[in-house]
Amino acid sequence: MSRIVFCLAALAGLSVSSAALADGNAGRGAQVYRACVACHALEPGLHLSGPSLDGLMGRMAGEAVGFVRYSTGLKDAGFSWNAAALDGWLKDPASMIPDTYMTFRGIEDPQARADLVAFLEIAGQPGGGKKVVDEGLIPAGWLRAGAPEPIGEPSPEMRVTAVRHCGDSYFITTGDGRETPYWEKNIRLKIDSVETGPPAGTAVILGAGMGGDRFSVIFPSLAALKNLIAESCEAR
Ligand code: HEC
């Protein structure tokens, strides 16, 4: 008798856990995935603050080719991504990998996690991002997620030829020959070294929204930044 009860309990346990995994709905999961778009692209090889999730399923943790900012814990984790591992990770990344750089507090609700895992089972295959777009699960814009728009060939007004800093201001000369003063707090200096960034040797100035007086000056390399900026109060 006790053996029968044990068997029934084991069977019940089995069906509950497989039901919990099978239950995930990829369509609902796509909405949960919204929380990941700030940091992850689905386009192959496109790494943002987190690695591209293309081809994630079945891959060893911490091994996306070309992503160089993994925590030691994730790099050395020694497991590959499947539904169960993802469920644990998405519940509480920091309890699974204490030194993780994924600053995401996790998803409490088991159903939401199952839905998200069902979505990742499709989206996390090689080329799966395109598939979930074709199936209408996510908008195409989520493939590149927060990746900046490709800069392309800048117009003369966008091209920065010199930057001087004086007092609390930057004086920025552009390809049309004009020098414009900016309050230093409104200018962000950035380096964008990927191929969608500025062409080699060329810096660009772009509006950064926020009421129209904030700008980013984007350099293709640290060398270009050093070359183009000087401390000088002499007008050109
Ligand atoms: C604030 C940015 C951020 C958010 C939001 C975020 N992640 Fe991450 N994610 C990262 C970073 C950074 C890493 C690398 C972590 C490390 O190395 O410790 C990572 C790693 C991962 C990994 C491991 C990848 C690998 O190659 O082993 C998976 C899987 C993952 N994230 C899935 C998700 C999902 C799904 C969501 C949405 C629920 C999400 N992440 C939300 C930044 C983020």
Side-chain angles (χ1 to χ4, degrees), residues 163-171 182 184 229-233:
V163 179
R164 64 185 180 88
H165 182 260
C166 173
D168 68 353
S169 306
Y170 286 109
F171 295 83
Y182 297 91
E184 63 183 2
I229 299 194
E231 184 69 36
S232 164
C233 292

Side-chain angles (χ1 to χ4, degrees), residues 35-36 39-40 49 61-62 70-71 81 89-90 100-104:
C36 323
C39 299
H40 291 285
S49 68
Y70 281 117
S71 59
W81 290 113
W89 174 247
L90 296 170
T100 183
Y101 298 137
M102 175 155 136
T103 47
F104 179 71

Side-chain angles (χ1 to χ4, degrees), residues 167-235:
D168 68 353
S169 306
Y170 286 109
F171 295 83
I172 297 182
T173 307
T174 39
D176 54 2
R178 289 176 50 177
E179 187 187 73
T180 311
Y182 297 91
W183 187 32
E184 63 183 2
K185 308 270 186 303
N186 287 345
I187 295 289
R188 281 188 176 174
L189 305 178
K190 298 184 178 180
I191 294 175
D192 185 347
S193 60
V194 305
E195 78 271 16
T196 49
T202 309
V204 299
I205 182 162
L206 295 177
M210 320 277 283
D213 63 351
R214 310 281 171 90
F215 294 86
S216 295
V217 180
I218 306 169
F219 301 86
S221 62
L222 181 61
L225 185 152
K226 287 180 173 167
N227 277 341
L228 288 168
I229 299 194
E231 184 69 36
S232 164
C233 292
E234 279 175 37

Side-chain angles (χ1 to χ4, degrees), residues 105-131:
R105 73 188 149 90
I107 300 169
E108 203 56 59
D109 176 6
Q111 183 62 56
R113 286 200 311 276
D115 291 342
L116 178 53
V117 169
F119 170 78
L120 290 171
E121 300 252 29
I122 309 170
Q125 301 295 331
K130 195 178 169 303
K131 185 148 188 242

